[in-house]
Amino acid sequence: MNNQRVYHFQEGNAGMRELLGGKGANLAEMTNAGLPVPPGFTVTTDACREFYEKGGQLTDEIFNEIKQAVRLLEQKKRQEFGNPDRPLLVSVRSGSVNSMPGMMDTILNLGLNDKTVQGLAQSTENAKFAFDSYRRLIQMFGNVVFGVEGIYFENLLHSLKEKYGLEQDRDVSEEQWRELIGQYKSLILEKTRREFPQDVYVQLNLAVEAVFRSWNNQRAKVYRKVHQIPDHQGTAVNIQSMVFGNLGNDSGTGVVFTRNPSTGEKSLFGEYLINAQGEDVVSGVRTPMPIRQLEMEMPEVYAQLLATAQRLEQHYKDMQDIEFTVEKGRLFILQTRNGKRTAQAAMKIAVDLVRENVLTPGEAIRRIEVSHLDQLLHRAIDTEAALEVLATGLPASPGAATGQVVFDADTAEEWGRSGKRVILVSMETTPEDIHGVLAAEGVLTSRGGMTSHAAVVARGMGKPCVCGCEDIRIQSGLFTVDGQMIREGDWISIDGASGRVIRGEVSLKDPEISEELSELLAWADSIRKLKIFTNADNPEDSAKAREFGAEGIGLCRTEHMFFGADRLSVVQEMILSDTLDERRIALNKLLPFQQGDFEGIFRAMNGLPVTIRLLDPPLHEFLPDMEELIQQSVELKYAQKTEETVKELERVEQLLRKVRNLHEFNPMLGQRGCRLGILFPEIYEMQAEAIFRAILTCRGEGIEVLPEIMIPLVGHEKELKLMRELVERKAEEVLGEEKEAIPYKIGTMIEVPRAALTASKIAQHADFFSFGTNDLTQMTFGYSRDDAEGKFLTHYLEDELLSTNPFQVLDEDGVGMLIDWAVKQGRSVKPELKTGVCGEHGGDKQSIFFCHKTGLDYVSCSPYRVPLARIAAAQAQLEFGSASTAANGRNKVATTS
Ligand code: ADP
Ligand code: MG
Ligand code: MG
């Protein structure tokens, strides 16, 4: 084992982040690249872990290593730590592996004491500067090491300036700084019963310990939780010789980005302060100047800064965020890191770097954070004009939504089902409200923060959400805000990106794909192997998805077409029918609707495959709720008997009988999917007929139709065989002669574990497998999703029993194993078997990576996630190369057949 815990900057490089932290690794990299970095060294993250293992104590061993490193620094700088004649001063800087801006603490000017401050005054011939530096040290040290709150120091400084009638810190004289230093020392003594240490090595020891300890301060802990940074990682400490930006008007300090971090535009962006040190730029004591100004004030330094910025960007091949200090006209670089940027800037910068030949298209694609695409691809409010903003809450989940107000999840679901757009407004949401969130366009809560239940759930579902909007007061059936009243059913709009709550309906605009994004997507398309399909149930969504680059429809759910206002009553008529003939009559009424839907979708997807799933949900979903019917029947029984009420009662009772009849103990595992098609073949016959008729009509219009008919919930090969025969019969009947010319496919969803296990048998009757990973996850885990997410899944996730929600991120170990097996088995009997995943997982990066590795042909996701999926699929190809499973599967067949 390597016991080295201290590395001089010359000994490290950018690849050593885990050990040296990001800041240390980059300081090393820059030192070795010959950039003007003040010399120093890094105490490793290993040392930090050791510090915690020893109960929060720096061991003598480590401290001796640090002392040796200081000695080397002394030689390099020709100065001596604690020597009043030529004192060495250092900064003690935290630096974790993942950047955690401002989360941990840094101390500057360490090595100053009552004696060395005199030496510094003499050697710089600037006593005012020396004492200013000293009071800064005492303040930072008092704050970081002894925990005295900064405000006490600020107050003393403020009183001092008031006493002498001074405006700015720079007006304070040497004498006055000395006075303040005395006050600071007493303050520390009074608050902590400890003296500010005069021994510079004691200063150093305590400072390093304090930086290690700051890894566990409250803000750092919260930041890690939010950004999923592991607690055990620890921080490194950088000890670096000081350079001074506060030495006069030929000195200064600042921060620059090599490109504009909000637009991505290629021009130096940043701020600086003349005659200032370290944190002054960000702390807001003085208003900094825009970096352009430096070109006028110090043209040579500016030219050097510009050149250095360009060099750093070329070196790191990415936009950099750089800290610099100018000491008496000399530029020093104190930090560089990949700059944080907005989603929009990220796309522009990636494309520009390719155009400038800094990156290859593949490197640019690898860089893209898919979560950025998620941000870019949400709807927004169309116009800013004349918005009546009622209140502003927390911007908890991006995107805008407009709809009618409802106050509970059940109403949200009911109204949503009848085709209304609703916004769920609630004090806060609980896991019991999931179905309401699902049905709503967006969610507004009056309580709860960015990590409240509503916020987390809405983000997970990609729905707009405004949280903690405390100005609204919810009462029963209405809310008030600022003297105005909004009732259930009134229209409001919310903007989850800004937190605004707006009165009335507003028009929303669909997200647009910028020129840069479309360039990136084109590169991604040329790289990826996995095809990207979409889930769409109507022509509008299909067209939208196609615009976003979908290469087909992977899942068209026919039941959604049954819910429309004009159809539901016919569907109910069909369900209530007691005889086959009655049922046929109702189905015949439905047929033209279905046919029309399919025609619309085929037109929108001209030339691309369309996978249509035959009816899947249990029939009771189309009937009213049982409790409601009981209530109605009771009310009617007690109502005055008229011809009308008698008839109505009869109708309600009939419905009730049917609902009771259809009642199931566990509908998820009940009479649904192909089981419906087997018991009521006339339903699937009608659907198949509608599909084939639509094909004929569209072909007549010159449209190329590539239909794929999908049988849901198959668990046994005989089920599929039977349903395939049914569809083939209809094809024969409707298409006649033309049948041969039409390239239709018949396949199945693999969503019952038994189907996955017996895939080689199922494949004999299937042209394709589409993994319905939502049901497959439910049945593999034995979780019903609504119950799981409503009851215990949150607990499982919080306690890390599960690392991710398996309904969002595909469970590779279990569900993934079934998929892998089924693909291999299926292809062993049918090498050309087409395979894909449909459902939410198809739009999740990690799950897409899995699908690529497993050698699936496509993933299918919601229209707005198609661009994200295109990028993720390209990233998978770049990361893992071409999938091996697919090739192996095919080879096996070739050699055994
Ligand atoms: P943070 O991670 O909060 O940015 P840093 O360690 O980067 O903390 O330091 C805080 C400020 O002090 C920065 O402005 C930095 O440039 C400045 N600074 C750090 N070390 C030195 C040094 N050796 N000489 C001059 N300024 C320094
Ligand atoms: Mg910094
Ligand atoms: Mg299913």
Side-chain angles (χ1 to χ4, degrees), residues 23 38 90-94 100-106 108 240-245 253 255 277-279 323-325 334-335 337:
K23 196 181 283 170
V90 297
S91 61
V92 178
R93 319 173 64 186
S94 63
M100 295 168 61
M103 284 305 126
M104 289 173 301
D105 302 311
T106 284
L108 305 180
Q240 185 175 29
S241 51
M242 286 298 301
V243 287
F244 299 102
T253 184
V255 176
Q277 186 173 44
E279 308 272 58
E323 287 173 6
F324 69 93
T325 284
L334 289 165
Q335 189 174 342
R337 59 184 165 207

Side-chain angles (χ1 to χ4, degrees), residues 204-338:
L204 186 60
N205 193 317
L206 291 175
V208 172
E209 284 189 353
V211 172
F212 280 156
R213 251 196 323 269
S214 72
W215 173 253
N216 272 340
N217 72 27
Q218 206 48 35
R219 46 194 169 123
K221 276 196 199 162
V222 171
Y223 188 93
R224 286 203 295 276
K225 203 154 190 89
V226 174
H227 292 87
Q228 285 154 11
I229 297 170
D231 287 337
H232 63 79
Q233 214 171 48
T235 181
V237 181
N238 301 289
I239 294 166
Q240 185 175 29
S241 51
M242 286 298 301
V243 287
F244 299 102
N246 52 337
L247 261 176
N249 287 337
D250 53 356
S251 304
T253 184
V255 176
V256 286
F257 286 77
T258 54
R259 299 180 191 230
N260 185 314
S262 51
T263 63
E265 194 203 329
K266 190 180 181 181
S267 63
L268 215 52
F269 177 95
E271 295 173 330
Y272 74 102
L273 275 173
I274 290 292
N275 199 4
Q277 186 173 44
E279 308 272 58
D280 293 354
V281 175
V282 274
S283 69
V285 272
R286 274 195 274 154
T287 310
M289 310 297 281
I291 202 72
R292 287 260 150 231
Q293 188 82 23
L294 188 67
E295 194 171 7
M296 258 92 82
E297 262 185 283
M298 300 182 181
E300 273 166 42
V301 171
Y302 182 82
Q304 207 189 335
L305 181 65
L306 191 64
T308 309
Q310 276 165 1
R311 208 173 134 199
L312 279 170
E313 198 181 80
Q314 291 278 334
H315 189 84
Y316 285 98
K317 297 180 166 200
D318 201 355
M319 184 255 265
Q320 296 296 297
D321 163 356
I322 302 164
E323 287 173 6
F324 69 93
T325 284
V326 179
E327 180 183 295
K328 290 192 164 298
R330 255 183 91 193
L331 176 71
F332 292 92
I333 305 296
L334 289 165
Q335 189 174 342
T336 193
R337 59 184 165 207
N338 294 342

